[in-house]
């Protein structure tokens, strides 16, 4: 019989068991899990790739890695509690055990964007899959032109990585907006920043539309309107990339749950060129 580590390596669908080192509360329903990547020998990941995470006895979900791709010690996942599996994962405490398999999928085109301006547009939890790309861009700042990070959330208390964004501002352009300055029924400090959807930030962003690459992640409707707003500024769909975690279930193209037209999101994505996938996103109920 193979040792456990060798048996797992030989079985692509078998998760590796790892433990939670730290739990960081981001918002009322969102946490970042810091898990050990060393004990389990998790393979390195590229910005934009995802892992399949298992809540033992509950189920499995695809979650993009949200930490620094150069960190070989800890893997980070930013998870919102919206279903049985994510509620179980976000309930884990330090020392808790979970399953991980991956990484899977195509990453953000950070190498192809070398020498170009980069526009990062995130909506809500969509900032988490983009965060590894931002880490990469900052770590190799001299390889890129102007970098603009445009982020929108529903309300100030749902902003992710607020302290980190303050640090990003020393190296890149950061603009933040919220849909509403306060959440209904919640007493929070007054918001004196921008109010409006994230697409309203695009006309004021500083980038050369003829040499810019755009990385976009958020709700599908937000990504459609963002691509349209970028096109209005001269950034074509061939240079706009979106990330989809659309109904993925197996991560390896076997089950078909994530099929979108001719694409299997888990295999062909989750990062896809909007020029290719945009027409399919516009088809209702597809």
């Amino acid at each position: 019989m193979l040792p456990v580590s060798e048996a797992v390596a030989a079985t692509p669908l078998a998760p590796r068991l790892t433990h939670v080192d730290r739990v960081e509360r981001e918002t009322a329903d969102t946490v970042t899990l810091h898990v050990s990547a060393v004990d389990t020998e998790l393979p390195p990941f590229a910005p934009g790739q995802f892992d399949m995470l298992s809540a033992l006895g509950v189920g499995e979900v695809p979650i993009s890695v949200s930490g620094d791709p150069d960190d070989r010690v800890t893997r980070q996942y930013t998870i919102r509690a919206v279903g049985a599996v994510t509620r179980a994962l976000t309930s884990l405490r330090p020392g808790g055990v979970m399953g991980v398999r991956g990484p899977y999928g195509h990453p953000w085109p950070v190498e192809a964007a070398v020498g170009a301006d980069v526009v990062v547009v995130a909506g809500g939890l969509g900032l988490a899959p983009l965060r590894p790309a931002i880490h990469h861009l900052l770590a190799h700042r001299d390889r890129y032109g102007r970098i603009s990070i445009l982020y929108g959330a529903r309300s100030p208390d749902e902003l992710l990585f607020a302290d980190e964004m303050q640090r990003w501002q020393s190296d890149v352009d950061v603009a933040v907006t919220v849909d509403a300055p306060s959440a209904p029924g919640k007493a929070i400090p007054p918001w004196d920043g921008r109010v409006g959807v994230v697409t309203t930030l695009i006309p004021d962003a500083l980038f050369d539309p003829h040499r810019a690459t755009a990385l976009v992640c958020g709700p599908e409707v937000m990504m459609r309107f963002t691509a349209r707003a970028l096109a209005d500024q001269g950034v074509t769909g061939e240079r706009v990339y979106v990330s989809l975690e659309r109904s993925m279930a197996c991560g390896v193209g076997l089950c078909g749950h994530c099929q979108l037209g001719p694409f299997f999101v888990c295999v062909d994505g989750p990062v896809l060129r909007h020029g290719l996938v945009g027409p399919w996103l516009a088809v209702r109920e597809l």
Side-chain angles (χ1 to χ4, degrees), residues 126-138:
L127 184 59
L130 284 161
R131 188 179 176 216
I134 294 170
H135 278 295
H136 179 91
L137 295 171
L138 293 173

Side-chain angles (χ1 to χ4, degrees), residues 16-182:
R16 301 165 183 256
L17 297 183
T18 188
H19 65 271
V20 177
D21 289 332
R22 184 161 64 94
V23 180
E24 188 174 3
R25 175 65 59 182
E26 302 290 352
T27 71
D29 60 0
T30 304
V31 303
T32 295
L33 298 181
H34 300 248
V35 309
S36 172
V38 174
D39 295 348
T40 327
E41 299 179 346
L42 293 178
F45 73 97
Q49 287 190 302
F50 68 95
D51 285 335
M52 298 296 299
L53 306 187
S54 303
L56 305 185
V58 183
E60 191 178 46
V61 289
I63 300 290
S64 293
V65 188
S66 64
D68 187 343
D70 290 332
D71 184 354
R72 299 290 188 261
V73 176
T74 303
R75 194 88 121 217
Q76 295 182 33
Y77 306 97
T78 302
I79 307 170
R80 175 168 290 157
V82 293
V85 182
T86 51
R87 282 196 297 269
L89 289 170
T90 56
S91 297
L92 289 171
R93 296 296 176 258
V97 177
M98 58 185 281
V100 180
R101 60 181 174 92
Y104 298 117
H106 289 273
W108 296 111
V110 290
E111 294 302 326
V114 169
D117 291 352
V118 181
V119 186
V120 177
V121 189
L125 192 61
L127 184 59
L130 284 161
R131 188 179 176 216
I134 294 170
H135 278 295
H136 179 91
L137 295 171
L138 293 173
H140 305 279
R141 185 64 190 86
D142 59 333
R143 300 174 63 192
Y144 300 93
R146 193 111 189 197
I147 298 174
S148 295
I149 300 172
L150 313 179
Y151 178 41
R154 286 183 294 186
S155 61
D157 63 331
E158 294 195 17
L159 292 169
L160 297 177
F161 318 127
D163 293 341
E164 212 167 327
M165 279 193 287
Q166 293 287 337
R167 296 194 295 272
W168 295 344
Q169 287 181 344
S170 63
D171 294 301
V172 300
D173 300 320
V174 178
V176 179
T177 186
V178 296
D179 294 348
S182 63

